[in-house]
Amino acid sequence: MKKLTRAAFSLLMVGALTSCDAPTISKEKAVEVFADIQANSAAKMKEVKSYKFTTNILGEGDTTMIYSKEDSFAYFSSKTGTSVTEAWAYKKDGKYYTVQNEDGEKMYTTDSIGLTFTTYEATITGAFELLAGMIELSFATEFERTDAENAASGIEKISYHSSGKGNLAIKASGIDVETKEKQSVKIGYDKYLPVTMAGVSDSEEGKTEVKLAISYNVKVSYPSLAGATAV
């Protein structure tokens, strides 16, 4: 993935797309919708109580993170094949808990300061800000590119979609001019917030994918400590 990686995959910079069935719009209209999103996304983000995002990079397993400032709750999980690693850090009943689950073996600690929660909080919010920034930059980069630049990079088809204010998606596909790999990419906003970016590369060696899906105002779920070992 070279030429198209730098062009269509520069949209990714490295779920189902909420806007994939939205009406097709012109690039000029998409630019207007994006400008409105940029003007209002920060205010909409302040209304968000919690969020969850799941990534899968090149088929190396799902990584999920959840954060709720309101609940002082942070969660991380990594799933590869049948192996699952989970970690929680949260405040409940006046105490901070740190819980880990390694393939069913669960252990936990408690404290009154919450240093682990603070660390998890910084890690998850930092990752979210990075991913959200990547999506915003991806849109901005595409809108600066000309049709000729896209064509020269191997992009054969690109379309813009929106169902109204705060909703916008870009879908692009083509063939890498050097490797001849078939590639596609899609990124999207919904309700003024970033919700997805995904890319697929298909070659004789097989298919590789990059996925990100984000959801907001999710309900947090505390782990059961039944059978867990206190350390």
Side-chain angles (χ1 to χ4, degrees):
M1 295 184 293
K2 294 182 179 179
K3 289 294 185 180
L4 192 54
T5 299
R6 291 193 291 270
F9 265 73
S10 69
L11 298 174
L12 292 180
M13 307 301 289
V14 200
L17 179 59
T18 302
S19 308
C20 63
D21 294 324
T24 302
I25 59 174
S26 67
K27 184 174 183 177
E28 292 73 20
K29 179 61 178 178
V31 171
E32 293 179 7
V33 175
F34 181 58
D36 180 55
I37 289 174
Q38 287 185 302
N40 291 280
S41 60
K44 293 296 182 180
M45 193 64 215
K46 290 181 180 179
E47 299 174 2
V48 171
K49 296 180 179 179
S50 61
Y51 53 76
K52 170 184 176 180
F53 56 95
T54 298
T55 60
N56 188 311
I57 308 298
L58 304 179
E60 294 182 357
D62 290 337
T63 297
T64 298
M65 298 186 190
I66 301 173
Y67 171 68
S68 171
K69 182 176 181 179
E70 184 177 63
D71 298 303
S72 295
F73 178 95
Y75 170 80
F76 168 86
S77 75
S78 177
K79 297 181 181 180
T80 305
T82 59
S83 179
V84 180
T85 298
E86 295 180 288
W88 297 258
Y90 57 89
K91 186 177 183 180
K92 192 174 184 182
D93 300 326
K95 292 190 295 185
Y96 284 96
Y97 290 79
T98 300
V99 184
Q100 293 182 314
N101 178 21
E102 294 278 352
D103 293 325
E105 185 176 346
K106 194 178 295 184
M107 60 189 70
Y108 73 94
T109 60
T110 62
D111 68 83
S112 60
I113 302 175
L115 291 178
T116 300
F117 170 74
T118 300
T119 300
Y120 280 30
E121 178 182 46
T123 299
I124 295 175
T125 57
F128 173 81
E129 289 171 2
L130 175 63
L131 293 169
M134 287 163 55
I135 293 177
E136 181 180 18
L137 180 59
S138 299
F139 273 95
T141 299
E142 165 52 31
F143 290 139
E144 291 177 355
R145 295 175 61 85
T146 65
D147 292 342
E149 287 175 326
N150 281 336
S153 298
I155 296 178
E156 297 179 341
K157 184 178 180 181
I158 187 165
S159 58
Y160 310 91
H161 306 264
S162 178
S163 61
K165 288 188 174 183
N167 180 276
L168 182 63
I170 296 178
K171 299 166 68 176
S173 61
I175 299 177
D176 188 293
V177 296
E178 292 184 5
T179 67
K180 307 306 179 185
E181 292 175 329
K182 295 180 180 179
Q183 300 182 343
S184 62
V185 63
K186 53 188 178 183
I187 54 177
Y189 279 91
D190 191 43
K191 298 178 181 177
Y192 290 97
L193 299 170
V195 292
T196 191
M197 63 181 182
V200 179
S201 177
D202 197 357
S203 68
E204 294 181 355
E205 288 74 28
K207 183 181 294 186
T208 57
E209 297 182 77
V210 176
K211 298 179 181 178
L212 165 66
I214 309 173
S215 53
Y216 299 90
N217 296 322
V218 298
K219 189 174 183 179
V220 303
S221 179
Y222 297 95
S224 170
L225 299 183
T229 302
V231 294

